């Protein structure tokens, strides 16, 4: 499960582009905490610390405790805007959440046991249709990633959400269809030698599912 992070912040009295530019010149990133039936709280955080947390790879699906003057606010990062040229964070949005609330997050998928997939062992290729899953999770039980076991999958097989056992407290945000997460497809050489029409059908099914 995702770790609970703590990010120190200070309140800011002034908004606007001028005040924000001044903060950035001093190594700070303007941010706002909103939601929870409370007024938005304008804050700023240290750029280096924010970048450090962003580099962990799971910042956006972690509970972040914003520490303002010793008072901690439970939040979920919702957006971090970057400078188009310098690739530095220039603004961040945080959503207030309660410990028992449900949140929607994008969780990356990780494929395991590829050596136990007959299709991959024969030279097939894992075609990932969805690199992330949109999940609704308990705020205190957000997974870092979802492991998908490809044991037994052969060329032409598709992996659908119905085949995945999600962690307790998590469910798919998409409930109206059994969408495709990945397929095992044959490389061109295999298709030519075997005349594999099953694979083409599997790819078409995946494309139709995503349409």
């Amino acid at each position: 499960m995702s770790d609970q992070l703590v990010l120190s912040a200070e309140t800011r009295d002034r908004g606007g582009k001028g005040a924000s530019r001044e903060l950035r010149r001093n190594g700070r990133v303007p941010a706002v905490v909103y939601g929870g039936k409370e007024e938005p709280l304008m804050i700023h955080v240290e750029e280096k610390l924010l970048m450090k947390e962003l580099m962990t790879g799971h910042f956006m699906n972690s509970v972040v405790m914003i520490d303002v003057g010793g008072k901690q606010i439970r939040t979920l990062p919702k957006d971090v805007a970057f400078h188009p040229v310098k690739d530095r964070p220039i603004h961040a949005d945080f959503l207030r959440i309660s410990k028992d609330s449900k949140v929607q997050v994008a969780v990356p998928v990780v494929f395991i046991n590829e050596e136990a997939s007959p299709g991959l062992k024969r030279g097939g290729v894992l075609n990932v249709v969805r690199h992330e899953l949109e999940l609704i999770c308990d705020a205190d039980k957000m997974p870092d990633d979802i492991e998908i076991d490809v044991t037994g999958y052969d060329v032409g097989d598709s992996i659908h959400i119905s085949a995945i056992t999600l962690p307790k407290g998590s469910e798919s945000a998409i409930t109206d269809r059994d969408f495709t997460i990945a397929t095992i497809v044959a490389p061109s050489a295999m298709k030519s030698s075997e005349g594999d029409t099953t694979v083409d059908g599997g790819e078409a099914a995946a494309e139709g599912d995503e349409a």
Side-chain angles (χ1 to χ4, degrees), residues 38-137:
E38 296 183 38
E39 290 294 319
L41 176 64
M42 294 195 302
I43 59 172
H44 56 92
V45 299
E46 184 180 350
E47 180 183 340
K48 290 183 179 179
L49 183 56
L50 178 59
M51 281 298 297
K52 179 182 176 181
E53 299 298 352
L54 285 167
M55 293 299 290
T56 64
H58 55 83
F59 179 74
M60 298 304 293
N61 62 314
S62 297
V63 173
V64 177
M65 303 298 292
I66 302 293
D67 190 313
V68 184
K71 178 183 177 181
Q72 292 194 345
I73 307 169
R74 182 185 299 271
T75 73
L76 181 68
K78 296 302 292 183
D79 185 58
V80 178
F82 288 85
H83 190 282
V85 177
K86 300 178 180 178
D87 201 30
R88 295 172 52 187
I90 57 176
H91 193 274
D93 292 338
F94 297 90
L95 175 68
R96 289 188 186 92
I97 58 174
S98 60
K99 187 176 182 180
D100 57 353
S101 63
K102 292 275 190 178
V103 295
Q104 183 168 332
V105 291
V107 181
V109 295
V110 176
F111 296 91
I112 61 173
N113 295 328
E114 295 186 18
E115 69 283 355
S117 162
L120 296 179
K121 288 178 68 175
R122 290 199 297 133
V125 177
L126 182 64
N127 174 44
V128 181
V129 180
R130 289 178 178 267
H131 293 272
E132 295 180 327
L133 299 181
E134 289 289 339
L135 302 181
I136 297 175
C137 313

